[in-house]
C-alpha cells in the first residue's frame, strides 16, 4: 500500500470538495466499508482485501469511472446496486405515507406499533390543541402507496386518525398519532416498521424514504450521517458554516446555531426538501431494513423558509438533520407515564 491510514483522501477534483467528507482519511473510509459489510453479513463476516496492482497505471481521466458526469455518450454515471437493497427499500415504502391537512400535503409519516403513525410535531402543529388532541380529526388523513406524480386518492390506501395524540416531544419534534380502523372491513393497516438500530458515525449508507415537495414518494440513498462532537470534523465544518452565515446573510444571524442545541441532532446532506419532515431513515442490517432516524428539517432555516429569495446558497452549505430513534426510545421508555412506557415496548420491538 502506498498510503498511510491517517492520510487524508484528496477531494480536489471530485464532488466531495467543500463537504464534510473532504477531511476523511483512508482509515475513515475503511471503517465505513467494513461497517457496510457487517450490516449485510453480520458482525463476524469475513473481509477479503484484494490488491489491484494499479500503481503506475495511466492517470488519464478518460480511463477512469466517475460519478461527476458522462465520460462519453451513453456512459454510466452511477454504480450498480444489490437487488436486495432495492427489495428492502420497496418493503419500507409500504409503511410510509403522505399526511394531508385540509386536503393539502403537510409532511410524511410512517407506520409503527399496532396502529400508530410517527411524524414530526410541526407537521400537525396547526391542528393540535394544548391538551395534545387533534382539533378536528376530519381535517387530516394519510395516504399510502402514493408513487405517481398524478395519482388520484385511492380509498383503500387512505386512513383517517383518532383524535388523541399519544406521544409528543417538543425537543425531538415528534408526535405519535393513532390510525382509525378502515371503514372497508377487508382493508387492514399497512405493515409497521419494527426493527431499529443505533446511529453511528460511519455506518452503511442511510436511505431516506418520504414525500419531499409534497408529491409522489421518493428515496435518497448515499446519505452518510454525522454527529457533532467536540473538535471532530463535523464540529469544525459547522463552525465554518456558522461564521459564513453571520457574514453572508443581511440580518447577521448564525443559522447553524440550532444544529448544536439539544437534543442532539443527526446531520447529513440530502436532496430531500419541504414535505420530507417525518420521513424514516433506514439502514440495511442483517438483511433487514432498520430505522435509525426521523427527518426533521435543515439549516440554514432562512433558505427553507425562502426568507432571502434573492440570495443563492450552494448545496454544500445546506445541512439537513433528524433525530435518532435510540434517543426517542430512551425518552419514551424512561417516561413517568406508564402508557408511554408501554408504547415504547410495543413500537421498538427489535434492536439489531
Amino acid at each position: 500500500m502506498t498510503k498511510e491510514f491517517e492520510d487524508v483522501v484528496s477531494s480536489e477534483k471530485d464532488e466531495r470538495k467543500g463537504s464534510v467528507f473532504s477531511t476523511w482519511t483512508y482509515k475513515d473510509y475503511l471503517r465505513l466499508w467494513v461497517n457496510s459489510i457487517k450490516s449485510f453479513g453480520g458482525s463476524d463476516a469475513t473481509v477479503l482485501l484484494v490488491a489491484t496492482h494499479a500503481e503506475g497505471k495511466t492517470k488519464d481521466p478518460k480511463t477512469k469511472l466517475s460519478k461527476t458526469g458522462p465520460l462519453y455518450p451513453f456512459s454510466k454515471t452511477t454504480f450498480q446496486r444489490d437487488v436486495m437493497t432495492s427489495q428492502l427499500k420497496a418493503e419500507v415504502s409500504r409503511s410510509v405515507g403522505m399526511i394531508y391537512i385540509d386536503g393539502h400535503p403537510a409532511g410524511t409519516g410512517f407506520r409503527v406499533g399496532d396502529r400508530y403513525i410517527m411524524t414530526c410535531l410541526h407537521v400537525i402543529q396547526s391542528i393540535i390543541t394544548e391538551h395534545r388532541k387533534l382539533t378536528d380529526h376530519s381535517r387530516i388523513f394519510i395516504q399510502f402507496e402514493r408513487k405517481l406524480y398524478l395519482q388520484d386518492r385511492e380509498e383503500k390506501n387512505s386512513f383517517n386518525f383518532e383524535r388523541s395524540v399519544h406521544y409528543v416531544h417538543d425537543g425531538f419534534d415528534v408526535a405519535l398519532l393513532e390510525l382509525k380502523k378502515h371503514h372497508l372491513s377487508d382493508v387492514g393497516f399497512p405493515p409497521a416498521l419494527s426493527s431499529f438500530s443505533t446511529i453511528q458515525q460511519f455506518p452503511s449508507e442511510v436511505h431516506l424514504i418520504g414525500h419531499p415537495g409534497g408529491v409522489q414518494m421518493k428515496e435518497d440513498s448515499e446519505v452518510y450521517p454525522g454527529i457533532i462532537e467536540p473538535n471532530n470534523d463535523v464540529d469544525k465544518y459547522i463552525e465554518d458554516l456558522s461564521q459564513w452565515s453571520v457574514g453572508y446573510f443581511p440580518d447577521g444571524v448564525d443559522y447553524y446555531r440550532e444544529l448544536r442545541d439539544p437534543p442532539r441532532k443527526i446531520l447529513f446532506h440530502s436532496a430531500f426538501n419541504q414535505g420530507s419532515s417525518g420521513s424514516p431513515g433506514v439502514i440495511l442490517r442483517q438483511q433487514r431494513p432498520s430505522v435509525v432516524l426521523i427527518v426533521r428539517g435543515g439549516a440554514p432555516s432562512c433558505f427553507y423558509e425562502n426568507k432571502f429569495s434573492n440570495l443563492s446558497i450552494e448545496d454544500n452549505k445546506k445541512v439537513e438533520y433528524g433525530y435518532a430513534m435510540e434517543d426517542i426510545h430512551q425518552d419514551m421508555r424512561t417516561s413517568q407515564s406508564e402508557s408511554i412506557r408501554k408504547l415504547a415496548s410495543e413500537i421498538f420491538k427489535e434492536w439489531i
Side-chain angles (χ1 to χ4, degrees):
M1 294 180 63
T2 60
K3 304 292 183 182
E4 297 293 333
F5 283 130
E6 302 300 333
D7 287 350
V8 174
V9 180
S10 174
S11 62
E12 287 300 312
K13 297 181 179 180
D14 63 33
E15 67 274 13
R16 292 177 298 117
K17 185 177 181 180
S19 76
V20 67
F21 302 107
S22 63
T23 60
W24 274 26
T25 64
Y26 288 93
K27 183 178 179 180
D28 292 331
Y29 279 102
L30 285 173
R31 288 175 62 188
L32 170 66
W33 295 329
V34 169
N35 280 328
S36 179
I37 293 169
K38 288 182 177 180
S39 70
F40 286 94
S43 59
D44 59 346
T46 300
V47 179
L48 299 178
L49 294 179
V50 180
T52 61
H53 300 288
E55 295 86 351
K57 300 297 183 181
T58 176
K59 294 185 178 181
D60 183 350
K62 294 181 180 180
T63 66
K64 296 181 180 180
L65 293 178
S66 170
K67 298 183 69 175
T68 59
L71 301 178
Y72 49 84
F74 61 81
S75 67
K76 284 177 61 62
T77 59
T78 57
F79 300 109
Q80 60 187 349
R81 290 185 176 276
D82 293 335
V83 171
M84 178 64 73
T85 302
S86 299
Q87 288 178 342
L88 292 177
K89 286 189 289 187
E91 178 183 327
V92 172
S93 72
R94 297 172 56 205
S95 304
V96 178
M98 183 155 62
I99 295 174
Y100 291 79
I101 295 179
D102 296 331
H104 302 288
T108 300
F110 59 96
R111 277 277 293 115
V112 293
D114 292 340
R115 58 188 183 280
Y116 301 104
I117 294 293
M118 185 174 288
T119 188
C120 285
L121 176 59
H122 76 266
V123 169
I124 62 167
Q125 193 74 62
S126 64
I127 60 167
I128 193 173
T129 71
E130 59 179 335
H131 301 294
R132 306 307 193 189
K133 290 184 180 294
L134 298 178
T135 56
D136 183 356
H137 55 179
S138 66
R139 296 171 58 190
I140 182 173
F141 71 91
I142 186 169
Q143 180 184 8
F144 294 93
E145 300 291 340
R146 172 69 193 278
K147 298 180 179 179
L148 299 176
Y149 182 73
L150 297 176
Q151 181 173 327
D152 295 330
R153 177 181 176 181
E154 295 185 51
E155 193 174 15
K156 66 178 181 179
N157 292 327
S158 297
F159 291 79
N160 297 318
F161 292 96
E162 300 288 357
R163 192 178 178 200
S164 295
V165 181
H166 291 269
Y167 171 72
V168 164
H169 193 289
D170 293 297
F172 293 127
D173 190 39
V174 68
L176 206 60
L177 306 177
E178 180 181 352
L179 288 175
K180 263 189 172 183
K181 187 177 180 181
H182 206 284
H183 70 277
L184 297 176
S185 58
D186 61 338
V187 176
F189 295 139
L193 299 178
S194 58
S195 294
F196 300 85
S197 294
T198 57
I199 201 77
Q200 302 174 38
Q201 283 280 42
F202 306 105
S204 57
E205 63 184 356
V206 173
H207 307 271
L208 307 180
I209 299 175
H211 290 275
V215 292
Q216 73 271 27
M217 190 182 303
K218 297 179 181 291
E219 63 98 359
D220 188 5
S221 295
E222 297 186 27
V223 172
Y224 297 97
I227 302 171
I228 296 177
E229 294 180 349
N231 298 315
N232 72 348
D233 292 338
V234 181
D235 183 22
K236 297 172 184 175
Y237 178 58
I238 300 303
E239 178 59 31
D240 288 343
L241 290 176
S242 291
Q243 294 179 14
W244 170 82
S245 174
V246 172
Y248 183 72
F249 294 112
D251 55 7
V253 171
D254 175 6
Y255 283 99
Y256 299 89
R257 180 66 184 86
E258 64 175 309
L259 301 179
R260 299 181 181 277
D261 294 337
R264 72 163 180 163
K265 296 170 178 62
I266 312 303
L267 313 184
F268 48 87
H269 283 301
S270 170
F272 272 22
N273 53 20
Q274 292 93 333
S276 59
S277 295
S279 300
V282 303
I283 63 173
L284 307 181
R285 182 162 291 174
Q286 297 179 14
Q287 299 184 3
R288 284 178 290 174
S290 184
V291 187
V292 294
L293 62 85
I294 180 172
V295 175
R296 163 55 176 88
S301 58
C302 59
F303 166 75
Y304 297 94
E305 296 166 0
N306 201 30
K307 186 175 181 179
F308 304 113
S309 57
N310 60 318
L311 296 179
S312 61
I313 302 176
E314 297 173 315
D315 285 342
N316 64 4
K317 290 182 172 61
K318 301 169 190 173
V319 182
E320 288 72 35
Y321 69 91
Y323 294 104
M325 286 292 108
E326 60 191 286
D327 294 342
I328 296 172
H329 174 236
Q330 173 69 9
D331 180 77
M332 291 182 68
R333 75 180 186 86
T334 58
S335 171
Q336 295 182 353
S337 168
E338 182 180 359
S339 62
I340 291 179
R341 293 197 302 271
K342 287 183 177 179
L343 270 178
S345 298
E346 175 186 329
I347 292 171
F348 299 99
K349 291 182 178 179
E350 181 182 36
W351 288 87
I352 57 177

